[in-house]
Amino acid sequence: MPNAYEDNPSALNQVQSRAVSELLRVSPVADELARRFQEAGFSLALVGGSVRDALLGRLGNDLDFTTDARPEDVLKIMRPWADAVWEVGIAFGTVGGQKDARVGDVSQSFQIEVTTYRSEAYDRTSRKPEVSYGDSIEQDLVRRDFTVNAMAVALPEKEFIDPHGGLDDLAARVLRTPSTPEASFSDDPLRMMRAARFAAQLDFEVAPDVVAAMKAMSERIEIVSSERVRDELNKLVLSAHPRKGLTLLVDTGLADRVLPELPALRLERDEHHRHKDVYDHTLIVLEQAMALEEDGPDLTLRLAALLHDIGKPRTRRFEDDGRVSFHHHEVVGAKMTKKRMTELKYSNELVKDVSRLVELHLRFHGYGTGEWTDSAVRRYVRDAGPLLDRLHKLTRSDCTTRNKRKATALSRAYDGLEERIAQLQEQEELDAIRPDLDGNQIMEILGVAPGPVIGQAYKFLMELRLENGPMEHDTAVSALKEWWAAQD
C-alpha cells in the first residue's frame, strides 16, 4: 500500500516526532516493565489505542500492552512491581495494574493493562466472546478492530510494528479493518458500534466497505450484551462529534436495533412543511446542549437532549386546521426514555434523572413573557430539584428556530425566568424549599402519633409554602390547625 505521507514527508516527520515525544514520556514505566518481561523470557509491546494516541500526540496515562506470556505468568511478573494489581479481566486474558512513577519532576499514576496475544469470536447463540490465546504479535494484531488500533511498538527496543497500514489510515483519517469487515464483525459484532464511536471520537471517516458490512450485518448486534452496547453508546454520546457517530448508527440500521427511538424521529413531513424534521432538530439540540457544558461532557444532559422528543412519533396528530400537534409528547417521551434506558441497563439514578428532564423540557413554554406567578416559579424549581441547571441548558438548547426574532424572544424570556429564580432563591432559599413546620412539629401541634396523616399534613404545608412563600411560625400553625379541623 502506498505511503500516505509520500507527497508530504514533513507530515510523517511531525507524526514521528509526536510519537517519540509521547513514548519518551512513558518510557520510565513502559521500559521498566518490558525489561521485567524480557528477564522472564517473554516479549512486551505497547499496542492498540495507546500507539494510535501516541501518534496523534494525545497519549494519556492509560497504557495497553500485549504479550506472549499467559495471564498467570503476567501476574507473577506484575505483582512484585506494580502498586496494585487486579484480575477483573483475567478470563479474557487481561491483567490490570497501577504503577506510580516520577516522570521528570512530576509524580504520575499509570493505569496499565497487559493482555495475552489472543483472538475472539462469537457464535450464533452466545453473548460472550470465546477467547483463545495466540503465539505471535502478528496473529494478535490481525484480530483487532481497526487498522489504526492494530499497530504496536515492541519494547524496550521501540520497534514499530504496522502490518496492516494503520499509519497510512491514521494519516488519511479513515477507519478500515485489518481483515475483511465481515470477518472482523463476525468475531465481535460490537465492533460495528465501535466504528461509529471512533468516527465520533476521532472525527474519522469509515471506509465504504466497512459501512456496507455494518448495513448487511446490523442484526448481529443483537447477540451483544446490553451492558457492552450501553458502554459504547456512552462513549459515542460523550465524544467531540456525536452527530457523526449517531448518523452512522441510523444510516446503517444499527440504531434500529439498539436505540430505535432515534431513527423513528425521521418523520415524513406533511405536505405543507408545517413541522420541523424532528430527527435533525434533535441532533442540533444535542450540539447546542454540548456548547453550554461548563465542566466537560455531561452524560445526563446529552442523553436528555438526544431523547427529549422521542415521544413525538407516538403523539403526532394532524389537526383540522392543518397544523401538526404533539400533545403530551414530553410525558410519553419520559416513559419511553425510562423503558429504553432500563433495557440498556443504565443505573436507576441516571434513568430517573434523564426521564425527569425529558418530562420537564416543555414546562418553560407556559411561561410566555413572564406571566408565571411566584408560586409557579417555585414549583418549577421544586420539580427540577438538583436538575435545575441541566434543565436550564436543555430548555435553551431546544430552541432551533431560524426565526431570529422568535429565538431572541425565547432567550430573553428564559433570561427573565432565571433572574426571577435567582431573586427568589436569594430571598427564600429555594434550593432547600420545605414546609414551614417539620414532621415533629406537626405531631406535637396536632397531638397525633406517626402515621399517614403526618404525610398528608406535610404535603398540605408544602403546597402552602409553594403558593405563598415563607410563612411566619404562628401563621403556619394556624393554617395547619384549620386544615386539621376540616378533615373531620
Side-chain angles (χ1 to χ4, degrees):
M1 180 177 179
N3 193 313
Y5 293 102
E6 284 179 352
D7 296 332
N8 187 10
S10 65
L12 177 58
N13 291 336
Q14 291 172 11
V15 169
Q16 289 175 323
S17 176
R18 281 199 301 263
V20 168
S21 175
E22 294 287 83
L23 292 173
L24 284 174
R25 183 180 67 81
V26 303
S27 280
V29 172
D31 287 353
E32 185 180 336
L33 183 60
R35 282 191 290 270
R36 294 183 68 87
F37 272 79
Q38 272 189 336
E39 290 167 3
F42 300 109
S43 59
L44 187 73
L46 196 68
V47 73
S50 291
V51 176
R52 179 199 70 221
D53 287 346
L55 291 165
L56 291 172
R58 44 176 271 181
L59 179 62
N61 285 7
D62 292 350
L63 305 179
D64 294 329
F65 298 91
T66 188
T67 180
D68 55 348
R70 296 298 190 254
E72 59 271 18
D73 295 314
V74 175
L75 283 172
K76 291 177 183 177
I77 295 169
M78 287 188 63
R79 276 185 172 141
W81 173 80
D83 294 292
V85 172
W86 46 87
E87 305 177 27
V88 175
I90 200 164
F92 300 102
T94 299
V95 174
Q98 176 184 318
K99 179 66 175 179
D100 299 327
R102 290 193 69 80
V103 178
D105 297 327
V106 181
S107 294
Q108 297 187 27
S109 181
F110 292 87
Q111 303 297 311
I112 292 166
E113 285 193 352
V114 181
T115 302
T116 302
Y117 299 156
R118 66 186 184 184
S119 61
E120 292 179 353
Y122 274 74
D123 63 31
R124 291 286 171 180
T125 57
S126 174
R127 283 179 174 268
K128 294 183 178 180
E130 297 175 355
V131 177
S132 59
Y133 298 128
D135 296 310
S136 72
I137 194 166
E138 290 77 17
Q139 185 181 8
D140 182 79
L141 293 177
V142 75
R143 46 81 39 191
R144 296 199 170 246
D145 51 9
F146 303 105
T147 59
V148 295
N149 296 330
M151 299 178 283
V153 176
L155 300 171
E157 58 271 21
K158 307 288 194 300
E159 177 192 352
F160 183 56
I161 304 170
D162 181 20
H164 305 289
L167 186 60
D168 291 326
D169 288 339
L170 196 69
R173 304 178 68 82
V174 65
L175 291 171
R176 290 190 309 109
T177 53
S179 59
T180 67
E182 292 78 9
S184 181
F185 297 155
S186 290
D187 284 348
D188 185 353
L190 189 69
R191 289 173 177 173
M192 294 186 286
M193 286 197 67
R194 287 169 66 84
R197 187 251 289 188
F198 281 123
Q201 283 184 330
L202 303 173
D203 197 17
F204 279 20
E205 300 303 319
V206 181
D209 63 328
V210 176
V211 174
M214 291 168 69
K215 290 179 179 178
M217 301 177 67
S218 60
E219 81 284 353
R220 287 284 286 141
I221 197 67
E222 294 178 359
I223 202 67
V224 181
S225 70
S226 297
E227 291 85 352
R228 295 185 75 209
V229 168
R230 175 203 63 209
D231 291 346
E232 281 301 321
L233 184 62
N234 285 350
K235 292 173 184 176
L236 190 163
V237 170
L238 290 170
S239 70
H241 309 277
R243 174 191 278 264
K244 192 165 197 169
L246 292 167
T247 300
L248 187 58
L249 290 183
V250 170
D251 290 348
T252 57
L254 281 162
D256 288 319
R257 303 179 184 277
V258 300
L259 193 64
E261 295 80 4
L262 183 60
L265 294 175
R266 294 181 298 180
L267 300 173
E268 69 279 5
R269 294 192 180 199
D270 63 287
E271 57 182 308
H272 301 294
H273 299 274
R274 283 202 173 95
H275 73 269
K276 291 179 288 190
D277 179 344
V278 183
Y279 171 69
D280 190 57
H281 162 77
T282 293
L283 297 179
I284 294 172
V285 171
L286 172 59
E287 290 175 327
Q288 292 185 165
M290 291 166 56
L292 296 177
E293 291 172 335
E294 298 164 304
D295 300 311
D298 182 341
L299 182 62
T300 305
L301 176 63
R302 293 193 184 192
L303 286 174
L306 184 63
L307 301 172
H308 78 284
D309 271 349
I310 62 172
K312 279 190 170 180
R314 290 191 186 178
T315 57
R316 184 171 62 156
R317 297 289 183 274
F318 294 98
E319 305 293 350
D320 293 339
D321 61 2
R323 292 184 304 107
V324 180
S325 67
F326 303 96
H327 294 308
H328 306 301
H329 77 267
E330 73 281 11
V331 177
V332 173
K335 292 178 181 177
M336 293 172 65
T337 295
K338 183 177 180 180
K339 183 175 185 292
R340 175 57 52 197
M341 290 185 66
T342 300
E343 289 180 357
L344 287 170
K345 305 295 177 66
Y346 280 98
S347 69
N348 292 337
E349 182 179 3
L350 190 58
V351 172
K352 179 182 176 183
D353 286 350
V354 176
S355 301
R356 188 63 166 158
L357 286 169
V358 171
E359 182 182 0
L360 293 174
H361 83 272
L362 275 190
R363 180 76 69 85
F364 160 72
H365 292 282
Y367 186 72
T369 55
E371 290 85 0
W372 277 5
T373 62
D374 284 352
S375 171
V377 175
R378 290 187 196 101
R379 292 175 193 278
Y380 188 76
V381 173
R382 189 273 308 268
D383 291 347
L387 297 171
L388 182 63
D389 185 58
R390 289 187 174 107
L391 182 58
H392 288 333
K393 293 182 173 70
L394 178 60
T395 303
R396 288 184 180 278
S397 302
D398 196 24
C399 176
T400 61
T401 179
R402 295 178 183 175
N403 184 323
K404 290 186 178 179
R405 186 164 58 182
K406 184 178 179 182
T408 300
L410 284 169
S411 179
R412 285 177 177 168
Y414 208 84
D415 288 343
L417 175 58
E418 287 202 57
E419 288 172 9
R420 287 182 65 187
I421 289 172
Q423 291 168 0
L424 286 173
Q425 283 176 326
E426 185 175 349
Q427 295 167 11
E428 305 178 13
E429 298 182 358
L430 283 190
D431 290 338
I433 196 166
R434 59 178 59 85
D436 296 282
L437 302 172
D438 62 26
N440 289 328
Q441 290 172 311
I442 291 170
M443 287 189 288
E444 183 179 345
I445 293 165
L446 300 183
V448 296
V453 69
I454 305 304
Q456 295 166 13
Y458 191 90
K459 184 177 180 181
F460 163 74
L461 289 169
M462 174 62 88
E463 290 298 315
L464 212 57
R465 170 71 171 79
L466 289 167
E467 191 66 35
N468 301 322
M471 301 171 65
E472 294 291 338
H473 178 78
D474 291 346
T475 305
V477 171
S478 296
L480 176 63
K481 288 180 177 179
E482 285 181 22
W483 171 85
W484 181 239
Q487 303 308 301
D488 296 335

